[in-house]
């Protein structure tokens, strides 16, 4: 291995460590607790080293969002692959999405709530974000119905899921009723 390859590998490892540490800290104490000073202390590198990877917290949030979007896409695809039939696929999608949001609140916020400097719904949207949307659309495409644009249908379903996730987490909806909400949502959207 050349010196250049070793340096690139070490740089990538440091970057992964920064993102993993930011994610861990955010999940434990919230995003307000994630500062470059705290991250530098936790990873035992100086702040200038941290800034050589990310210009600041916003870019770190963006990196967590991209990582989380890839995980969300994988979770949705795994759940829907095991489902039998269109309605069951939509229900599995909804449960996987809501479960991801509940298990990873800081990552969910990085993807959908916080400014990570990432463009959404544009030509230059990063692939992991596009792929997370595609994972939703793949299962919803079979229940979209004639004359309805699959992308718009997916956006409306996603908006409903996002509302359920955020309102439940904020204590505005009782968490014990999540399953009846999923069933109602699926019944209305997956009329096949």
């Amino acid at each position: 291995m050349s010196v250049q390859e070793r340096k690139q590998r070490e740089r990538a490892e440091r970057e992964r460590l920064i993102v993993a540490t930011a994610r861990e800290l955010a999940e434990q104490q919230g995003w307000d607790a994630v500062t470059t000073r705290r991250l530098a202390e936790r990873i035992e590198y100086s702040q200038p080293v941290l800034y050589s990877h990310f210009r600041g917290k916003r870019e770190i949030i963006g990196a967590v969002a991209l990582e989380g979007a890839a995980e969300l896409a994988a979770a949705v695809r795994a759940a829907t692959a095991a489902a039998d039939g269109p309605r069951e696929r939509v229900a599995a999608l909804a449960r996987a999405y809501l479960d991801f949001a509940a298990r990873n609140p800081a990552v969910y916020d990085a993807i959908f709530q916080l400014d990570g400097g990432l463009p959404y719904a544009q030509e230059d949207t990063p692939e992991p974000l596009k792929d997370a949307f595609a994972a939703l659309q793949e299962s919803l495409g079979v229940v979209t119905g004639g004359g309805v644009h699959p992308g718009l249908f997916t956006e409306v379903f996603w908006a409903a899921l996002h509302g359920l996730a955020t309102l439940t987490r904020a204590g505005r909806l009782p968490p014990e009723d999540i399953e009846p909400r999923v069933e109602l949502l699926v019944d209305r959207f997956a009329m096949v």
Side-chain angles (χ1 to χ4, degrees), residues 49-91:
V49 169
L50 194 120
Y51 282 116
S52 74
H53 291 275
F54 299 99
R55 284 183 274 179
K57 183 176 175 176
R58 182 178 186 218
E59 283 189 4
I60 294 168
I61 289 170
V64 170
L66 294 176
E67 188 176 272
E71 292 169 11
L72 175 60
V76 165
R77 286 189 175 110
T80 58
D84 186 30
R87 186 192 186 288
E88 291 75 19
R89 282 179 59 115
V90 174

Side-chain angles (χ1 to χ4, degrees), residues 11-45:
R11 180 173 176 77
E13 287 172 9
R14 272 193 315 271
E15 194 165 300
R16 280 192 297 275
L17 178 62
I18 293 166
V19 171
T21 304
R23 186 174 169 162
E24 179 184 318
L25 187 56
E27 291 293 359
Q28 291 171 352
Q29 299 176 30
W31 279 104
D32 287 343
V34 179
T35 64
T36 54
R37 176 172 290 186
R38 269 185 130 170
L39 286 174
E41 288 171 2
R42 282 209 175 188
I43 64 173
E44 298 178 348
Y45 284 104

Side-chain angles (χ1 to χ4, degrees), residues 65 69 72-73 76 90 93-94 96-98 100-101 107-113 118-122 125 128-141 143-144 149-167 185-186 189:
L72 175 60
V76 165
V90 174
L93 178 157
Y97 183 98
L98 294 171
F100 179 88
V107 173
Y108 188 84
D109 285 349
I111 301 168
F112 298 115
Q113 305 280 93
L118 303 172
Y120 285 77
Q122 298 173 23
T125 298
L129 299 177
K130 288 179 181 179
D131 191 51
F133 186 80
L136 299 176
Q137 192 168 340
E138 288 163 11
S139 291
L140 294 170
V143 297
T144 298
H149 188 281
L152 293 176
F153 187 85
T154 302
E155 288 171 354
V156 172
F157 191 82
W158 168 35
L161 288 176
H162 178 70
L164 289 175
T166 56
L167 290 170
L185 183 66
V186 171
F189 275 86

